């Protein structure tokens, strides 16, 4: 199956601002076909010390993507890590679900692409909508001469990837608490995993019991091992060490990806029993379900002409003269 890339949107305004969060909503038609990946790209010139302290993906507070009125991707994080030399939660989750971030290894020549696995087969006359919120940049750190672009990569995919709405629940410190995670209803969908987030950049999780997998608590260290993160499973840009390339990481503090091994949930929910460490206080944890659906179709559908008439000035003059 042929692979093709199509730029579906571009402007010079949907960009983060200094000193305040900024929210944008953009929409446009999108060609029909099977969208293998959806790509968000930001290019421009940053400041000498770096627009952020590490990967530019730390600027994303919310990223929501909709096709034809149906939401398929919804990322939210309460943690602003733009000033910290750490991996972002968006970049972490993308690598957990089969996507990635590509960034130029430079403080000033900013070129970042966020590649989100999709697998959605779009009909003719389709539209997309992207709703996003950026965290504020520090004063003097704005990008200049920048562009915001959206791309669709068409091709083949073994399944559609759905990132559902997050469930939020307050978890008291040092007390096991039941958190019921709502699962979107899609016929034939399986739950690949749960992205669990704390509201701070601290590892306050003590144990998590995933009741459909067993009745015993998993520690953060084991959860990260089971998800493949503990063997330096993440790569990200650290602008303080940019001459050395991307930096490996085995964890992102306060974020845990729990694999559920294509769980079939008919009840519309699953239960987590969460215990946090003493002294953490009550924290609102969020749990985002990652689903997969069988998919099928072909790449971008482009029109093909099957008949034409040769044109030229001589034929046109003769035809008018004879008529």
């Amino acid at each position: 199956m042929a692979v093709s890339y199509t730029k579906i949107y571009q402007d010079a305004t949907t960009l983060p601002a200094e000193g305040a969060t900024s929210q944008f909503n953009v929409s446009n038609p999108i060609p029909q076909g099977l969208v293998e990946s959806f790509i968000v790209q930001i290019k421009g010139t940053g400041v000498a010390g770096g627009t952020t302290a590490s990967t530019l993906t730390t600027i994303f507070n919310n990223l929501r993507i909709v096709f034809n009125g149906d939401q398929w991707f919804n990322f939210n994080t309460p943690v602003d890590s733009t000033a910290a030399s750490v991996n972002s939660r968006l970049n972490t989750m993308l690598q957990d679900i089969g996507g990635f971030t590509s960034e130029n290894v430079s403080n000033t020549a900013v070129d970042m692409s966020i590649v989100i696995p999709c697998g959605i087969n779009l009909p003719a006359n389709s539209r997309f909508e992207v709703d996003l919120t950026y965290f504020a940049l520090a004063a003097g750190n704005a990008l200049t001469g920048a562009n915001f672009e959206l791309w669709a990569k068409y091709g083949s995919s073994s399944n559609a990837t759905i990132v559902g709405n997050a469930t939020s629940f307050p978890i008291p410190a040092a007390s096991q608490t039941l958190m019921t995670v709502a699962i979107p209803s899609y016929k034939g969908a399986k739950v690949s995993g749960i992205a669990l987030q704390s509201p701070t950049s601290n590892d306050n999780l003590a144990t998590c019991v995933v009741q459909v997998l067993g009745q015993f608590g998993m520690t953060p260290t084991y959860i990260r091992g089971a998800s493949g993160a503990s063997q330096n499973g993440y790569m990200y840009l650290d602008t303080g060490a940019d001459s050395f390339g991307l930096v490996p990481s085995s964890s992102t503090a306060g974020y845990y990806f729990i694999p559920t091994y294509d769980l079939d949930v008919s009840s519309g929910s699953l239960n987590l029993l969460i215990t946090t460490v003493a002294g953490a206080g009550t924290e609102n944890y969020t749990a985002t379900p990652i689903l997969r659906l069988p998919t099928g179709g072909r790449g971008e559908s482009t029109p093909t002409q099957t008949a034409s008439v040769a044109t030229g000035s001589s034929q046109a003059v003769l035809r008018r003269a004879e008529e």
Side-chain angles (χ1 to χ4, degrees), residues 52-71:
T52 60
S54 60
T55 168
L56 192 64
T57 57
T58 57
I59 63 175
F60 287 90
N61 175 208
N62 165 256
L63 177 59
R64 178 175 176 267
I65 305 172
V66 173
F67 289 139
N68 299 324
D70 294 324
Q71 175 185 287

Side-chain angles (χ1 to χ4, degrees), residues 30-35 121-126 154 298-302:
I30 182 171
Q32 74 179 95
L34 196 152
V35 181
N121 196 20
L122 297 179
N125 302 316
S126 289
Y154 292 85
R298 58 181 185 175
E300 182 178 4
S301 178
T302 55

